[in-house]
Amino acid sequence: MKVAFLGTGLMGVPMAQRLLAANIPLIAYNRTPEKLEPLKAAGAETVERPHQAIRAADCIILMLTNAMAIYHVLLSDGSSSNLVGRTVIQMGTITPTESKEIRNAVVTAGAQYIEAPVLGSIPEAEAGKLTVMVGAYPEQYQRYLNLLKNFGPDPIYVGPVGTAAALKLALNQLIASLTTSFALSLGFVQRQGIDVDLFMQILRESALYAPTFDKKLQRMLDGNYGNPNFPTKHLMKDTDLFITEAKSVDLNVSSIEGVQQVLEAAIKMSLANADYSSLFCAINSDSMSLEE
């Protein structure tokens, strides 16, 4: 099976490298050609246009920014005609509504469609320890299980297309909300003159603790938001997607809308490309007002 990998950003490169390490023939495309260099050096074939990769492959893996990018790269007039008889595995974060619409377009073009978004960041992608969530027909899940195991040891079958995309958004909503809540408590403790080590000791021993707090603590204390595993702008995008989809099923989204305001403040502070722990900077900025 020859695989086309479309989208070689922060997550795409280590994921594609996992396939190369497993001796799976790979052809890669990225709209920024320079980002293909690590894969080219590792033995991947690279192309300048997405339709060239699609035409040469049996299976197409997408790790693109959003649904708009998927339509542009996969479903433009130049690419969609090459989809006949192929399978598309969509692994980025989009809404269940978008995933179903893309599924319909892919099937109309004569191909099969599977969604398989992942939970985890660059270290997990490099180690092949991502949590892979699959939305597909059961037989599609079984057919591509071994391929997906290159990204995570136990890909999880969630249900039909749309369910895995929804689960991914639910989990990313927790990333945004937990990080914001922790940043707010940490800032409050600091401004009250309470020892941070004591705060963390009590927190770690309580039912309130989540491991992500320790993963982001030092970045927040040091103000070190460089070399992100997951940039603020991506968390902003996923939060916007969650709010849109949650509103469509009549959920009260006031809590996550507050988080959205903090994310917007971080973006305005030129922290879009910083690690999302930079939410702490936005929360603790004297000039920030959530009432704007």
Side-chain angles (χ1 to χ4, degrees), residues 124-283:
E124 290 78 19
E126 291 174 340
K129 293 183 178 179
L130 292 166
T131 299
V132 183
M133 299 161 280
V134 184
Y137 293 117
E139 57 270 25
Q140 292 174 318
Y141 166 74
Q142 290 297 333
R143 188 178 307 133
Y144 290 95
L145 182 58
N146 286 335
L147 178 64
L148 294 173
K149 281 184 177 180
N150 288 287
F151 308 121
D154 299 299
I156 300 162
Y157 180 68
V158 181
V161 168
T163 57
L167 181 54
K168 167 62 172 171
L169 282 184
L171 292 165
N172 277 26
Q173 187 276 145
L174 281 173
I175 293 174
S177 293
L178 284 172
T179 305
T180 304
S181 294
F182 176 66
L184 182 58
S185 289
L186 179 62
F188 183 76
V189 162
Q190 286 182 317
R191 295 198 183 192
Q192 296 295 326
I194 299 166
D195 182 69
V196 171
D197 289 338
L198 178 61
F199 165 62
M200 291 305 300
Q201 176 188 331
I202 294 171
L203 180 58
R204 291 185 191 109
E205 294 173 357
S206 76
L208 305 173
Y209 178 71
T212 189
F213 299 158
D214 266 311
K215 287 184 178 180
K216 296 303 178 183
L217 173 64
Q218 204 58 49
R219 276 188 177 271
M220 292 179 180
L221 293 178
D222 295 343
N224 174 19
Y225 309 121
N227 299 314
N229 289 330
F230 189 34
T232 305
K233 64 182 179 182
H234 291 173
L235 188 58
M236 178 84 232
K237 183 264 293 185
D238 294 351
T239 299
D240 290 344
L241 294 180
F242 177 87
I243 289 172
T244 298
E245 205 72 8
K247 282 182 175 179
S248 74
V249 291
D250 298 322
L251 289 172
N252 185 326
V253 295
S254 55
S255 62
I256 189 64
E257 284 179 331
V259 173
Q260 184 185 46
Q261 291 178 44
V262 178
L263 282 161
E264 288 171 349
I267 300 292
K268 289 177 182 177
M269 295 171 71
S270 300
L271 294 168
N273 294 309
D275 186 84
Y276 69 88
S277 55
S278 61
L279 284 168
F280 181 70
C281 186
I283 283 173

